[in-house]
Amino acid sequence: QETIYKYVERLHSYPPTIWWRVECYHYETRYRTVTDSNGNTRTESYQEKVVTHTASANYQYNSWCDVSVQMTGLDEYNLTKLKNYKTFTFANAQTENDYNYKAQLFRQANDRDVYQNFWYGVEIQDFKDKLLVEVQPGARSSTISVNCYVMSSLALCSVCFRMYFASVCGRKKYVFNKQVSI
């Protein structure tokens, strides 16, 4: 069984995939006939979003390194709720300028309607945003289980179970930070 430290170390070794997505759209006026409770009918108009184009691409960089801070503090509790985040940074101004220039070119090449939504992000293989971490395998007590949760819910005590669960768990946040350069 993989420990949390091995999991983090493994994710540190994976390269990031930095992606862009666009969605082009416009609004069209549509009409519908509505009948009220008295039997009167009327025609009403509404706006509907019509997506006409979508595209995605990945940013191509030459090298990367993981610059995440060291994970610490997981041994304070037997169980820790770990909330993970992922981000990317640029090694230098030249890389940042290259990224912005290529993102703008991507948006311009895919500007095909009245409006455009643009998203960007980073993917890391096997990334999970929420984990329940044991300080060592088997550290979780037998009362922290799906069966105990179901039993407490049937007894209308799920709030008590959640309060107990929260009292025996620590909370920690961790950011995976991948630095790219051209």
Side-chain angles (χ1 to χ4, degrees):
Q1 184 173 342
E2 185 177 47
T3 67
I4 186 60
Y5 294 108
K6 291 286 186 190
Y7 170 78
V8 169
E9 186 179 311
R10 186 164 50 87
L11 265 62
H12 284 178
S13 71
Y14 292 154
T17 301
I18 300 171
W19 53 264
W20 299 312
R21 293 192 184 107
V22 294
E23 172 188 77
C24 299
Y25 62 97
H26 63 273
Y27 290 98
E28 292 182 358
T29 303
R30 305 280 169 98
Y31 299 93
R32 62 179 162 224
T33 304
V34 179
T35 304
D36 63 18
S37 59
N38 296 329
N40 300 321
T41 60
R42 61 179 161 69
T43 302
E44 66 181 26
S45 64
Y46 62 97
Q47 295 288 310
E48 187 168 297
K49 180 179 175 180
V50 179
V51 176
T52 55
H53 176 71
T54 60
S56 63
N58 293 336
Y59 175 63
Q60 301 299 315
Y61 52 85
N62 291 331
S63 63
W64 68 277
C65 66
D66 191 288
V67 293
S68 308
V69 298
Q70 183 178 356
M71 175 166 291
T72 59
L74 291 179
D75 52 357
E76 296 173 20
Y77 291 88
N78 282 340
L79 292 175
T80 303
K81 293 179 184 179
L82 182 62
K83 178 96 170 111
N84 293 319
Y85 301 90
K86 55 192 171 185
T87 189
F88 66 95
T89 55
F90 305 107
N92 51 45
Q94 181 185 4
T95 303
E96 184 173 5
N97 291 339
D98 181 71
Y99 172 88
N100 290 330
Y101 176 72
K102 289 179 178 172
Q104 188 61 35
L105 286 179
F106 172 74
R107 290 188 71 176
Q108 289 172 350
N110 290 286
D111 190 7
R112 306 212 181 144
D113 209 334
V114 178
Y115 303 105
Q116 181 191 74
N117 286 331
F118 174 75
W119 300 275
Y120 67 94
V122 60
E123 295 298 326
I124 303 170
Q125 181 182 333
D126 296 339
F127 176 86
K128 291 182 174 64
D129 61 343
K130 293 181 181 177
L131 296 169
L132 181 62
V133 178
E134 292 179 310
V135 67
Q136 60 192 16
R140 183 177 64 191
S141 74
S142 60
T143 57
I144 305 294
S145 67
V146 174
N147 289 341
C148 287
Y149 176 73
V150 169
M151 294 301 290
S152 67
S153 295
L154 291 173
L156 303 177
C157 292
S158 63
V159 172
C160 296
F161 180 86
R162 288 173 186 268
M163 289 174 58
Y164 169 72
F165 185 77
S167 73
V168 298
C169 285
R171 294 178 188 268
K172 185 131 181 87
K173 295 178 181 178
Y174 186 73
V175 178
F176 289 93
N177 187 357
K178 304 291 187 171
Q179 186 178 77
V180 297
S181 68
I182 56 170

